[in-house]
Amino acid sequence: MFAVQADGQEIKTVEGLTENGKLTDLQKNFIECHGLQCGFCTAGILMSTEDYLEKNPNPSTKEIKEMLSGHLCRCTGYDGIVKAIEKTIENKKTAISS
């Protein structure tokens, strides 16, 4: 995408995911579940996942893997990434039921 194509649009970066300067549950879970690896794909996956979970707050593991299929991660079999996303979903369910 060229910068001119974004004229007048809201742009959100991975740095903009923080809440009052604090990491979100998704970001914390990426750290805890070893979803970060080298960092090459991390920003894109975090952004896509954040958007995806807003639209589909309770996806299955299969749906998570389908969403991730558009990303290239050179370090891992996506196991830690999927675990981090699933833990984020579980945390939200627990918070809602509390």
Side-chain angles (χ1 to χ4, degrees), residues 18-58:
T18 61
E19 297 169 350
N20 298 319
K22 300 193 189 279
L23 297 178
T24 64
D25 278 347
L26 180 62
Q27 291 170 310
K28 290 176 191 173
N29 291 333
F30 260 66
I31 294 167
E32 186 177 317
C33 297
H34 308 288
L36 296 173
Q37 303 296 316
C38 78
F40 178 81
C41 66
T42 305
I45 291 176
L46 284 169
M47 297 303 294
S48 293
T49 301
E50 192 74 28
D51 180 66
Y52 183 72
L53 292 179
E54 285 179 18
K55 296 172 183 166
N56 185 3
N58 194 25

Short mmCIF file of all heavy atoms in Angstrom, two decimals, residues 18-58:
data_model
loop_
_atom_site.label_atom_id
_atom_site.label_comp_id
_atom_site.label_asym_id
_atom_site.label_seq_id
_atom_site.Cartn_x
_atom_site.Cartn_y
_atom_site.Cartn_z
N THR A 18 -1.19 -1.23 22.95
CA THR A 18 -1.09 -1.12 24.40
C THR A 18 -2.27 -0.35 24.96
O THR A 18 -2.87 0.48 24.28
CB THR A 18 0.22 -0.43 24.83
OG1 THR A 18 0.24 0.88 24.29
CG2 THR A 18 1.43 -1.22 24.39
N GLU A 19 -2.59 -0.64 26.19
CA GLU A 19 -3.68 0.03 26.88
C GLU A 19 -3.08 0.89 27.99
O GLU A 19 -2.59 0.36 28.97
CB GLU A 19 -4.67 -0.99 27.45
CG GLU A 19 -5.33 -1.82 26.36
CD GLU A 19 -6.11 -3.01 26.89
OE1 GLU A 19 -6.01 -3.33 28.09
OE2 GLU A 19 -6.82 -3.62 26.08
N ASN A 20 -3.09 2.20 27.79
CA ASN A 20 -2.49 3.13 28.75
C ASN A 20 -1.01 2.78 29.01
O ASN A 20 -0.55 2.83 30.15
CB ASN A 20 -3.28 3.17 30.05
CG ASN A 20 -4.69 3.66 29.85
OD1 ASN A 20 -4.94 4.59 29.09
ND2 ASN A 20 -5.63 3.02 30.52
N GLY A 21 -0.31 2.41 27.95
CA GLY A 21 1.11 2.09 28.07
C GLY A 21 1.41 0.70 28.60
O GLY A 21 2.56 0.34 28.78
N LYS A 22 0.38 -0.08 28.87
CA LYS A 22 0.56 -1.44 29.39
C LYS A 22 0.21 -2.45 28.30
O LYS A 22 -0.70 -2.24 27.50
CB LYS A 22 -0.32 -1.66 30.61
CG LYS A 22 0.00 -0.70 31.75
CD LYS A 22 -0.65 -1.16 33.02
CE LYS A 22 -0.53 -0.13 34.10
NZ LYS A 22 0.65 -0.07 34.81
N LEU A 23 0.93 -3.56 28.31
CA LEU A 23 0.69 -4.60 27.32
C LEU A 23 -0.71 -5.19 27.49
O LEU A 23 -1.22 -5.33 28.61
CB LEU A 23 1.71 -5.72 27.46
CG LEU A 23 3.17 -5.36 27.20
CD1 LEU A 23 4.05 -6.58 27.42
CD2 LEU A 23 3.36 -4.82 25.80
N THR A 24 -1.32 -5.56 26.38
CA THR A 24 -2.63 -6.22 26.41
C THR A 24 -2.43 -7.68 26.80
O THR A 24 -1.31 -8.20 26.81
CB THR A 24 -3.30 -6.17 25.03
OG1 THR A 24 -2.49 -6.91 24.10
CG2 THR A 24 -3.49 -4.74 24.56
N ASP A 25 -3.53 -8.37 27.12
CA ASP A 25 -3.45 -9.81 27.41
C ASP A 25 -2.84 -10.57 26.24
O ASP A 25 -2.04 -11.48 26.45
CB ASP A 25 -4.84 -10.38 27.71
CG ASP A 25 -5.28 -10.14 29.14
OD1 ASP A 25 -4.44 -9.76 29.98
OD2 ASP A 25 -6.47 -10.36 29.42
N LEU A 26 -3.21 -10.20 25.03
CA LEU A 26 -2.67 -10.87 23.86
C LEU A 26 -1.15 -10.72 23.81
O LEU A 26 -0.42 -11.70 23.61
CB LEU A 26 -3.30 -10.33 22.58
CG LEU A 26 -2.82 -10.95 21.27
CD1 LEU A 26 -3.15 -12.43 21.22
CD2 LEU A 26 -3.45 -10.22 20.08
N GLN A 27 -0.65 -9.53 24.02
CA GLN A 27 0.80 -9.30 24.01
C GLN A 27 1.49 -10.07 25.13
O GLN A 27 2.53 -10.69 24.92
CB GLN A 27 1.09 -7.80 24.12
CG GLN A 27 0.69 -7.02 22.88
CD GLN A 27 0.75 -5.53 23.09
OE1 GLN A 27 0.23 -5.00 24.07
NE2 GLN A 27 1.41 -4.83 22.18
N LYS A 28 0.91 -10.04 26.33
CA LYS A 28 1.48 -10.77 27.46
C LYS A 28 1.50 -12.27 27.17
O LYS A 28 2.47 -12.96 27.49
CB LYS A 28 0.67 -10.50 28.73
CG LYS A 28 0.82 -9.10 29.28
CD LYS A 28 -0.10 -8.92 30.47
CE LYS A 28 -0.19 -7.48 30.90
NZ LYS A 28 -1.20 -7.29 31.95
N ASN A 29 0.44 -12.77 26.58
CA ASN A 29 0.36 -14.20 26.29
C ASN A 29 1.33 -14.61 25.19
O ASN A 29 1.83 -15.74 25.21
CB ASN A 29 -1.07 -14.60 25.94
CG ASN A 29 -1.98 -14.52 27.15
OD1 ASN A 29 -1.53 -14.66 28.28
ND2 ASN A 29 -3.26 -14.26 26.92
N PHE A 30 1.62 -13.74 24.26
CA PHE A 30 2.64 -14.04 23.25
C PHE A 30 3.99 -14.23 23.95
O PHE A 30 4.76 -15.12 23.57
CB PHE A 30 2.73 -12.93 22.21
CG PHE A 30 2.01 -13.24 20.93
CD1 PHE A 30 0.63 -13.37 20.91
CD2 PHE A 30 2.71 -13.42 19.75
CE1 PHE A 30 -0.03 -13.66 19.74
CE2 PHE A 30 2.06 -13.72 18.58
CZ PHE A 30 0.67 -13.84 18.57
N ILE A 31 4.27 -13.40 24.95
CA ILE A 31 5.52 -13.53 25.70
C ILE A 31 5.51 -14.84 26.49
O ILE A 31 6.43 -15.65 26.41
CB ILE A 31 5.73 -12.32 26.63
CG1 ILE A 31 5.93 -11.05 25.81
CG2 ILE A 31 6.89 -12.56 27.59
CD1 ILE A 31 5.82 -9.76 26.61
N GLU A 32 4.45 -15.05 27.26
CA GLU A 32 4.36 -16.21 28.15
C GLU A 32 4.34 -17.54 27.40
O GLU A 32 4.93 -18.52 27.86
CB GLU A 32 3.10 -16.09 29.01
CG GLU A 32 2.99 -17.16 30.06
CD GLU A 32 1.77 -16.98 30.94
OE1 GLU A 32 1.49 -15.83 31.34
OE2 GLU A 32 1.11 -17.99 31.21
N CYS A 33 3.68 -17.58 26.26
CA CYS A 33 3.53 -18.84 25.51
C CYS A 33 4.58 -19.02 24.42
O CYS A 33 4.47 -19.90 23.58
CB CYS A 33 2.13 -18.90 24.90
SG CYS A 33 0.80 -18.93 26.11
N HIS A 34 5.59 -18.17 24.42
CA HIS A 34 6.70 -18.24 23.47
C HIS A 34 6.24 -18.09 22.02
O HIS A 34 6.71 -18.77 21.13
CB HIS A 34 7.49 -19.55 23.65
CG HIS A 34 7.91 -19.77 25.07
ND1 HIS A 34 8.91 -19.03 25.66
CD2 HIS A 34 7.43 -20.60 26.02
CE1 HIS A 34 9.03 -19.42 26.92
NE2 HIS A 34 8.16 -20.37 27.16
N GLY A 35 5.34 -17.14 21.81
CA GLY A 35 4.85 -16.87 20.46
C GLY A 35 5.64 -15.81 19.74
O GLY A 35 5.37 -15.51 18.58
N LEU A 36 6.63 -15.22 20.38
CA LEU A 36 7.38 -14.12 19.78
C LEU A 36 8.46 -14.58 18.83
O LEU A 36 8.66 -14.00 17.78
CB LEU A 36 8.00 -13.23 20.87
CG LEU A 36 7.01 -12.52 21.77
CD1 LEU A 36 7.73 -11.82 22.91
CD2 LEU A 36 6.18 -11.53 20.97
N GLN A 37 9.20 -15.58 19.17
CA GLN A 37 10.31 -16.08 18.37
C GLN A 37 11.25 -14.94 17.96
O GLN A 37 11.67 -14.17 18.77
CB GLN A 37 9.79 -16.87 17.18
CG GLN A 37 8.90 -18.04 17.55
CD GLN A 37 9.61 -19.12 18.34
OE1 GLN A 37 10.72 -19.50 18.03
NE2 GLN A 37 8.99 -19.61 19.40
N CYS A 38 11.54 -14.80 16.66
CA CYS A 38 12.52 -13.80 16.22
C CYS A 38 11.94 -12.39 16.11
O CYS A 38 12.65 -11.42 16.10
CB CYS A 38 13.13 -14.20 14.87
SG CYS A 38 12.08 -13.86 13.44
N GLY A 39 10.64 -12.27 15.99
CA GLY A 39 10.00 -10.97 15.89
C GLY A 39 9.66 -10.53 14.48
O GLY A 39 8.97 -9.55 14.27
N PHE A 40 10.10 -11.27 13.46
CA PHE A 40 9.85 -10.91 12.07
C PHE A 40 8.35 -10.83 11.78
O PHE A 40 7.89 -9.88 11.16
CB PHE A 40 10.51 -11.95 11.14
CG PHE A 40 10.27 -11.71 9.69
CD1 PHE A 40 11.02 -10.77 8.99
CD2 PHE A 40 9.28 -12.41 9.00
CE1 PHE A 40 10.80 -10.54 7.64
CE2 PHE A 40 9.06 -12.19 7.66
CZ PHE A 40 9.82 -11.25 6.98
N CYS A 41 7.60 -11.81 12.24
CA CYS A 41 6.16 -11.86 11.94
C CYS A 41 5.29 -11.31 13.05
O CYS A 41 4.09 -11.11 12.86
CB CYS A 41 5.75 -13.30 11.66
SG CYS A 41 5.90 -14.38 13.10
N THR A 42 5.86 -11.07 14.21
CA THR A 42 5.08 -10.78 15.42
C THR A 42 4.13 -9.60 15.27
O THR A 42 2.94 -9.71 15.62
CB THR A 42 6.01 -10.56 16.63
OG1 THR A 42 6.85 -11.70 16.77
CG2 THR A 42 5.22 -10.35 17.90
N ALA A 43 4.60 -8.49 14.78
CA ALA A 43 3.74 -7.30 14.68
C ALA A 43 2.53 -7.57 13.80
O ALA A 43 1.40 -7.24 14.17
CB ALA A 43 4.54 -6.12 14.15
N GLY A 44 2.74 -8.18 12.66
CA GLY A 44 1.63 -8.48 11.75
C GLY A 44 0.65 -9.45 12.35
O GLY A 44 -0.57 -9.29 12.22
N ILE A 45 1.16 -10.47 13.03
CA ILE A 45 0.26 -11.46 13.65
C ILE A 45 -0.52 -10.84 14.79
O ILE A 45 -1.72 -11.08 14.93
CB ILE A 45 1.05 -12.71 14.09
CG1 ILE A 45 1.54 -13.47 12.86
CG2 ILE A 45 0.19 -13.60 14.98
CD1 ILE A 45 2.41 -14.68 13.16
N LEU A 46 0.12 -10.01 15.61
CA LEU A 46 -0.60 -9.34 16.69
C LEU A 46 -1.71 -8.45 16.14
O LEU A 46 -2.84 -8.46 16.65
CB LEU A 46 0.36 -8.51 17.54
CG LEU A 46 1.24 -9.28 18.51
CD1 LEU A 46 2.32 -8.37 19.09
CD2 LEU A 46 0.41 -9.89 19.64
N MET A 47 -1.41 -7.69 15.10
CA MET A 47 -2.41 -6.80 14.51
C MET A 47 -3.57 -7.59 13.91
O MET A 47 -4.74 -7.27 14.13
CB MET A 47 -1.78 -5.90 13.45
CG MET A 47 -0.71 -4.95 13.98
SD MET A 47 -1.26 -3.86 15.29
CE MET A 47 -2.46 -2.85 14.44
N SER A 48 -3.25 -8.62 13.16
CA SER A 48 -4.30 -9.45 12.55
C SER A 48 -5.15 -10.14 13.60
O SER A 48 -6.37 -10.22 13.48
CB SER A 48 -3.68 -10.51 11.63
OG SER A 48 -3.08 -9.92 10.53
N THR A 49 -4.49 -10.65 14.63
CA THR A 49 -5.22 -11.36 15.68
C THR A 49 -6.13 -10.43 16.44
O THR A 49 -7.29 -10.77 16.73
CB THR A 49 -4.23 -12.06 16.65
OG1 THR A 49 -3.42 -12.97 15.89
CG2 THR A 49 -4.97 -12.80 17.74
N GLU A 50 -5.65 -9.25 16.77
CA GLU A 50 -6.47 -8.27 17.48
C GLU A 50 -7.74 -7.97 16.68
O GLU A 50 -8.85 -7.99 17.21
CB GLU A 50 -5.66 -7.00 17.72
CG GLU A 50 -6.27 -6.02 18.67
CD GLU A 50 -6.18 -6.46 20.13
OE1 GLU A 50 -5.25 -7.20 20.49
OE2 GLU A 50 -7.06 -6.04 20.90
N ASP A 51 -7.58 -7.72 15.39
CA ASP A 51 -8.72 -7.44 14.52
C ASP A 51 -9.64 -8.66 14.41
O ASP A 51 -10.85 -8.55 14.50
CB ASP A 51 -8.22 -7.02 13.13
CG ASP A 51 -9.35 -6.72 12.18
OD1 ASP A 51 -10.08 -5.72 12.42
OD2 ASP A 51 -9.54 -7.48 11.20
N TYR A 52 -9.04 -9.82 14.24
CA TYR A 52 -9.81 -11.06 14.09
C TYR A 52 -10.65 -11.34 15.33
O TYR A 52 -11.83 -11.69 15.22
CB TYR A 52 -8.85 -12.22 13.81
CG TYR A 52 -9.55 -13.53 13.57
CD1 TYR A 52 -10.26 -13.76 12.39
CD2 TYR A 52 -9.50 -14.54 14.52
CE1 TYR A 52 -10.90 -14.95 12.17
CE2 TYR A 52 -10.15 -15.74 14.30
CZ TYR A 52 -10.84 -15.95 13.13
OH TYR A 52 -11.49 -17.15 12.92
N LEU A 53 -10.05 -11.18 16.52
CA LEU A 53 -10.79 -11.47 17.75
C LEU A 53 -11.89 -10.45 18.02
O LEU A 53 -12.86 -10.77 18.71
CB LEU A 53 -9.83 -11.57 18.94
CG LEU A 53 -8.87 -12.76 18.92
CD1 LEU A 53 -7.95 -12.73 20.13
CD2 LEU A 53 -9.62 -14.08 18.82
N GLU A 54 -11.77 -9.25 17.50
CA GLU A 54 -12.87 -8.28 17.61
C GLU A 54 -14.07 -8.75 16.80
O GLU A 54 -15.21 -8.56 17.20
CB GLU A 54 -12.41 -6.90 17.13
CG GLU A 54 -11.52 -6.19 18.10
CD GLU A 54 -11.06 -4.83 17.58
OE1 GLU A 54 -11.68 -4.29 16.63
OE2 GLU A 54 -10.06 -4.31 18.11
N LYS A 55 -13.80 -9.37 15.65
CA LYS A 55 -14.86 -9.83 14.76
C LYS A 55 -15.35 -11.23 15.11
O LYS A 55 -16.50 -11.56 14.85
CB LYS A 55 -14.36 -9.82 13.31
CG LYS A 55 -14.04 -8.43 12.82
CD LYS A 55 -13.37 -8.47 11.46
CE LYS A 55 -13.00 -7.06 11.02
NZ LYS A 55 -12.08 -7.07 9.88
N ASN A 56 -14.48 -12.05 15.66
CA ASN A 56 -14.80 -13.44 15.99
C ASN A 56 -14.18 -13.74 17.36
O ASN A 56 -13.09 -14.29 17.44
CB ASN A 56 -14.24 -14.38 14.91
CG ASN A 56 -14.64 -15.81 15.13
OD1 ASN A 56 -15.38 -16.14 16.05
ND2 ASN A 56 -14.13 -16.69 14.29
N PRO A 57 -14.88 -13.39 18.45
CA PRO A 57 -14.28 -13.49 19.77
C PRO A 57 -14.11 -14.91 20.31
O PRO A 57 -13.43 -15.11 21.31
CB PRO A 57 -15.24 -12.69 20.66
CG PRO A 57 -16.51 -12.64 19.92
CD PRO A 57 -16.19 -12.76 18.46
N ASN A 58 -14.67 -15.91 19.65
CA ASN A 58 -14.58 -17.27 20.16
C ASN A 58 -14.28 -18.26 19.04
O ASN A 58 -15.04 -19.20 18.83
CB ASN A 58 -15.87 -17.64 20.89
CG ASN A 58 -15.72 -18.88 21.72
OD1 ASN A 58 -14.62 -19.23 22.14
ND2 ASN A 58 -16.82 -19.57 21.95
#
